[in-house]
Amino acid sequence: MFAEIGLAISAVKAANEAIGSIRELCSNVNDIRSVGSCLGKDLTRLSDAKEELEKNAKDGDEQAFWALEDIRQRETEIRDLMIWGGRGNLWADYQKFMQTRKEMRENQRKREVARKLAKKKAIKDGLVVTAAILTGCLVVGLGIWLLLAIIAAKGR
């Protein structure tokens, strides 16, 4: 339970930092395009924190649910900033961009998992081949020893 609370707190903290920096950036500039790169990093952090809170909220964490609700309300403020402070369809384009980035991160995670599984499989296959070679050598060695023992017994 305490681990879940800690995760929720860290996710809320990251989200609050991202939202605060987004507000500060948007309030200090006249044109939203001039803050695009910084805004992208902050919205990525916000998106990551939101994903973690959604996962915890689905597991029944009440604090994560309320923190997620707070983030959704703040996202509405950010959306309004983008809609009224930027060009037409900026918010829709940015949502598509964030979805693409999310898919890219998921694909990267899948590739990382596949790479780890391939490494484990290669190690397992290597151990199986080594065991097979050692077993074959043992069988051949026992066969030669048995053959020499039979030859020695007939020679007496």
Side-chain angles (χ1 to χ4, degrees):
M1 177 174 160
F2 291 115
E4 292 175 359
I5 292 172
L7 289 174
I9 290 172
S10 65
V12 169
K13 184 179 177 184
N16 285 337
E17 289 173 0
I19 289 170
S21 60
I22 290 167
R23 279 187 183 156
E24 184 177 334
L25 283 170
C26 290
S27 66
N28 290 332
V29 296
N30 295 329
D31 187 12
I32 198 164
R33 290 176 294 182
S34 62
V35 296
S37 63
C38 296
L39 195 60
K41 293 175 187 174
D42 291 329
L43 285 174
T44 300
R45 285 191 317 179
L46 179 63
S47 174
D48 292 343
K50 186 177 173 185
E51 285 177 19
E52 185 156 339
L53 286 171
E54 285 174 345
K55 184 178 77 168
N56 290 342
K58 285 181 183 177
D59 293 339
D61 187 0
E62 185 178 349
Q63 288 182 337
F65 173 78
W66 290 114
L68 188 59
E69 192 60 34
D70 184 46
I71 288 173
R72 286 184 182 135
Q73 185 175 3
R74 291 181 183 192
E75 271 185 335
T76 303
E77 295 171 15
I78 293 168
R79 179 184 54 114
D80 290 342
L81 282 172
M82 291 185 101
I83 289 172
W84 300 112
R87 66 170 170 76
N89 292 326
L90 177 62
W91 179 250
D93 291 345
Y94 198 79
Q95 284 183 318
K96 289 177 190 175
F97 171 74
M98 290 303 290
Q99 182 64 32
T100 302
R101 284 183 62 154
K102 182 179 178 181
E103 290 171 3
M104 288 173 54
R105 284 194 311 264
E106 288 174 4
N107 289 339
Q108 177 64 27
R109 288 181 198 139
K110 288 177 184 177
R111 284 192 299 270
E112 187 68 26
V113 167
R115 186 186 63 79
K116 286 180 182 179
L117 288 175
K119 185 176 180 180
K120 284 182 182 180
K121 185 179 183 316
I123 290 171
K124 183 180 176 182
D125 290 347
L127 290 174
V128 168
V129 167
T130 302
I133 290 171
L134 289 175
T135 302
C137 290
L138 180 65
V139 168
V140 168
L142 285 175
I144 291 172
W145 178 77
L146 185 60
L147 185 62
L148 290 175
I150 291 173
I151 291 172
K154 284 190 174 184
R156 289 186 203 180

